[in-house]
Each structure stands twice: as structure tokens, then as C-alpha cells.
Amino acid sequence: MEKGEEEKPTKAGSRLCCICNQKRAALKRPKTLQQICRECFYEVFEEEIHQVIVENQLFKPRERVAIGASGGKDSTVLAYVLSELNRRHNYGLDLFLLSVDEGITGYRDDSLETVKRNEIQYGLPLKIVSYKDLYGWTMDEIVKMIGLKNNCTFCGVFRRQALDRGAALLKVDKVATGHNADDIAETVLLNILRGDIARLSRCTSIVTGEDGPIPRCKPFKYTYEKEIVMYAYFKRLDYFSTECIYSPNAYRGFAREFIKDLERIRPRAILDIIQSGEDFRISTFTKMPEQGTCERCGYISSQKWCKACVLLEGLNRGLPKLGIGRSRGPNNDHKKGTKETNGAKSIESKQCGTLDF
């Protein structure tokens, strides 16, 4: 733009970028409501993530880091940005893509094709682990048995463990996931609604599982979902945008809608909910689960059997509701549930000591 042109009136409603004050603003940042140009957006978006990484010491030089890659916007942008920052700031990381194939026809098989293209585009090695290989079941087979209710419980438990299994195969030091600020705010709300004190105490942590074999970190902890979408759109990144065909009835969906309503009224609400979660203090009188290992598979668990083994036991025995929810009702019902587990005492009411959400 030549000298003097800046003073000329622009189109109705258009403004100059509030950062460089030279180029025409292309977007309004959902987080700050600043009107900025694309180039400045790229710069501040990437710089904010870099600062989060540095200030929280998420990585160490020469670490092997697996990026949880689903093919969706969050993991695709994470893979792209981490690759760029790794080169630009010389993190010295060995990066890998790690994907989980849940076995959902028409959804995961298509999204994995996107991940395979990302492998070539970003030059990052890809490892895929599947529910079928790890558990002997696909999500299609599980849904056929249990129906559309509670299927997300199975998928969430199995996917968390599958990521750890895949990370162990890659021999990585850490797993980076694409959980964004919206996700974390939703999780704070969900844990309050469920009364899940144990998860509430750790769900806002930017690094989890530090006392386990492979920690996980969330570089997008303070990054809004809308900005991730904008970044992917303007950068023309190759990502898969279809929602899981089994997720419309998920409990999390109601929390997501509530968070979106709050964001429309007050964009800062997402970060405020996260801060509230960070500031929660659990009473010293509250009994917290003690972390151990599953006697059956060796995975981290606060009970005799981890949640994945409890759910698998139910599937394999034709009792898919075994391990779903918490035990309720009179003592007779509890004893009945104990008998059905064939010695695995009251495991149907126990929660797995998971590393993440």
C-alpha cells in the first residue's frame, strides 16, 4: 500500500488491522475481538501457542513426541503448528503422528485417509492402532450390541488406553493432544455436573499423567476452537470435518451447547471457566482414589481392574451394561451385580484411574 492510501476511505464496515495498522482486517478474533489481518493472525496465533509451550515447559530437547492425530481440525492444526514451531524455535523434537482406528465405517476410515495425507504433507511418521487389534472389537460391533446409548463411554475409555498403547509402541516420551480451551471448559462443567471430584481436580492441568509411563500435554489449552477453525481455513489445511456418526446423543454435547451460548454472550467465559477449574481446591477430608495398576492388563487404574477391562468383560460375556454408570439402589442389587462379575468384586461401579479427561 503506497503512502497516502491509508487515509482513503475503505468499504463500509472494513477497518485496518489493529496490530500492523497497514493491511485491511480480515477477521475478528473470537478470543479478544480484535480486528486483524491474516498475516497478523497467523503470527499472534502461533506466538501464543509458543509462549504456552515455553512458560509451561511442555517439551525438552531431543524428546520423542507423539501427536494424537484424528484427521480433525484440532489435531491437524496441532501437527502443522508444532512442526512449524519445532523448526522455527529449534525445540529439537522428534515428532510422530499417532492415530486410533475405532472401527467406525464411513467416519474413521475416511478421516484416517486425511491423516495419511498429513503424514506426507508434514513429513511426520504415522502409527495407527486399532480397537480390533487391541480389544477384539470395533465400535461398529459394540454399537450393534449395546445400541446408541452409552457407546461414547466405551469409545472414550478404549481410546484413552489405545493412545497410551500406541505411544508405548512408538517409544515416545510424551503425547500431545489437540484439546482446546472449549474442550477443557466443557470438561470442567461436565465434572461438576457429575460430581466427579477426582477428574475435576486434574482436568485443567496442561500436563497429565506425569506419574505414569507417558505424560500427555495440551498446547491448545488456551486456544479457542473458533480460532483453530479460522487458522485451518485461512491456511487451507487438509482436515476432516464430519462429526462422529455415534456422537449426537453424547452427554458432552449438551455441555458444548451451553458453553457456546455463554461464549456468544461473553467470549471471555471460556477462559473464566478454565480459571475457575484451576482455582478449585479439594477438601483435605475428601477421599481420593489411590492410583495403581490393573491386575488384568497392567494399565494404570485406581481399582483392581481398569475400566477398559471391566467393559471388555461385559462385552465378551454378553453383558454390555456391566461397568456402565454407578451402582444404585438397595444392597440386594449391589450383591446381584457382584455375583454377575464372577469374583470381580463390585467392579461394575468403579472408575478407571485414567490419565486424562
Side-chain angles (χ1 to χ4, degrees):
M1 184 178 292
E2 295 179 1
K3 188 176 180 180
E5 289 187 358
E6 294 180 9
E7 305 301 326
K8 293 181 180 179
T10 56
K11 293 181 180 179
S14 65
R15 297 182 182 180
L16 293 178
C17 172
C18 68
I19 295 179
C20 69
N21 201 33
Q22 294 180 356
K23 297 180 180 178
R24 183 172 295 168
L27 64 130
K28 180 186 287 186
R29 291 194 69 189
K31 183 192 290 188
T32 64
L33 302 182
Q34 292 175 307
Q35 295 197 43
I36 59 178
C37 65
R38 292 189 188 187
E39 288 71 19
C40 287
F41 173 60
Y42 300 152
E43 185 176 341
V44 296
F45 182 90
E46 294 166 2
E47 181 61 22
E48 285 178 3
I49 295 167
H50 170 62
Q51 290 303 319
V52 168
I53 291 171
V54 172
E55 290 171 6
N56 294 277
Q57 300 179 334
L58 297 189
F59 307 115
K60 297 177 183 177
R62 295 182 294 280
E63 276 191 328
R64 292 167 61 89
V65 178
I67 301 169
S70 66
K73 62 185 185 312
D74 299 316
S75 62
T76 300
V77 172
L78 179 62
Y80 178 84
V81 171
L82 270 187
S83 297
E84 290 295 310
L85 295 179
N86 190 36
R87 286 191 290 266
R88 185 183 308 163
H89 297 286
N90 195 26
Y91 292 163
L93 305 176
D94 287 329
L95 300 176
F96 302 83
L97 297 178
L98 174 59
S99 294
V100 176
D101 182 2
E102 300 95 340
I104 303 175
T105 305
Y107 169 66
R108 183 56 70 210
D109 48 356
D110 290 341
S111 69
L112 285 177
E113 292 303 314
T114 303
V115 179
K116 292 173 183 176
R117 292 195 298 271
N118 292 158
E119 175 187 16
I120 298 171
Q121 293 161 351
Y122 307 149
L124 301 177
L126 169 64
K127 175 68 178 177
I128 300 175
V129 293
S130 72
Y131 282 9
K132 190 66 174 179
D133 291 339
L134 293 174
Y135 310 118
W137 291 80
T138 65
M139 274 308 298
D140 286 342
E141 293 169 342
I142 292 172
V143 170
K144 188 176 291 185
M145 172 177 279
I146 70 170
L148 290 174
K149 189 176 181 180
N150 294 319
N151 60 81
C152 287
T153 298
F154 284 83
C155 197
V157 170
F158 289 165
R159 185 167 56 246
R160 281 191 293 267
Q161 190 174 119
L163 271 175
D164 287 326
R165 302 293 189 197
L169 291 173
L170 284 172
K171 298 181 180 179
V172 297
D173 302 295
K174 200 165 289 177
V175 175
T177 63
H179 291 107
N180 57 51
D182 300 57
D183 296 327
I184 297 172
E186 290 164 14
T187 304
V188 171
L189 181 60
L190 281 173
N191 288 331
I192 291 173
L193 294 174
R194 291 169 175 158
D196 195 331
I197 302 301
R199 284 189 174 89
L200 181 60
S201 66
R202 65 176 182 263
C203 70
T204 57
S205 299
I206 196 166
V207 178
T208 55
E210 292 178 284
D211 51 352
I214 305 175
R216 296 189 188 185
C217 65
K218 311 180 191 80
F220 285 172
K221 177 182 176 181
Y222 302 108
T223 307
Y224 278 32
E225 182 180 50
K226 286 181 179 177
E227 297 202 350
I228 293 173
V229 173
M230 287 179 172
Y231 187 89
Y233 174 76
F234 287 127
K235 282 281 188 178
R236 300 181 184 275
L237 299 185
D238 184 5
Y239 67 95
F240 186 76
S241 58
T242 303
E243 288 290 329
C244 176
I245 58 177
Y246 298 137
S247 68
N249 298 318
Y251 188 36
R252 178 176 286 270
F254 297 100
R256 179 175 296 119
E257 288 302 314
F258 180 66
I259 295 294
K260 294 302 181 188
D261 289 341
L262 288 178
E263 184 188 11
R264 279 190 285 271
I265 299 170
R266 185 169 180 268
R268 176 77 195 181
I270 291 175
L271 293 179
D272 287 342
I273 291 173
I274 293 175
Q275 185 175 353
S276 297
E278 292 172 336
D279 292 341
F280 276 127
R281 294 294 178 266
I282 309 303
S283 170
T284 55
F285 299 103
T286 301
K287 186 176 181 180
M288 302 294 283
E290 296 181 6
Q291 201 169 84
T293 56
C294 174
E295 292 183 2
R296 190 171 189 178
C297 71
Y299 188 67
I300 188 170
S301 175
S302 59
Q303 304 298 330
K304 185 175 181 179
W305 284 11
C306 71
K307 189 70 171 178
C309 284
V310 175
L311 294 175
L312 276 175
E313 177 75 3
L315 288 172
N316 293 330
R317 293 178 55 199
L319 300 170
K321 293 186 179 180
L322 186 68
I324 295 292
R326 300 178 181 179
S327 58
R328 295 180 291 187
N331 292 333
N332 291 339
D333 291 340
H334 179 72
K335 291 177 181 179
K336 181 180 178 181
T338 304
K339 185 177 180 181
E340 285 181 352
T341 60
N342 192 25
K345 187 177 179 181
S346 69
I347 58 175
E348 69 174 274
S349 64
K350 304 301 183 183
Q351 298 292 325
C352 175
T354 53
L355 295 175
D356 207 357
F357 287 78

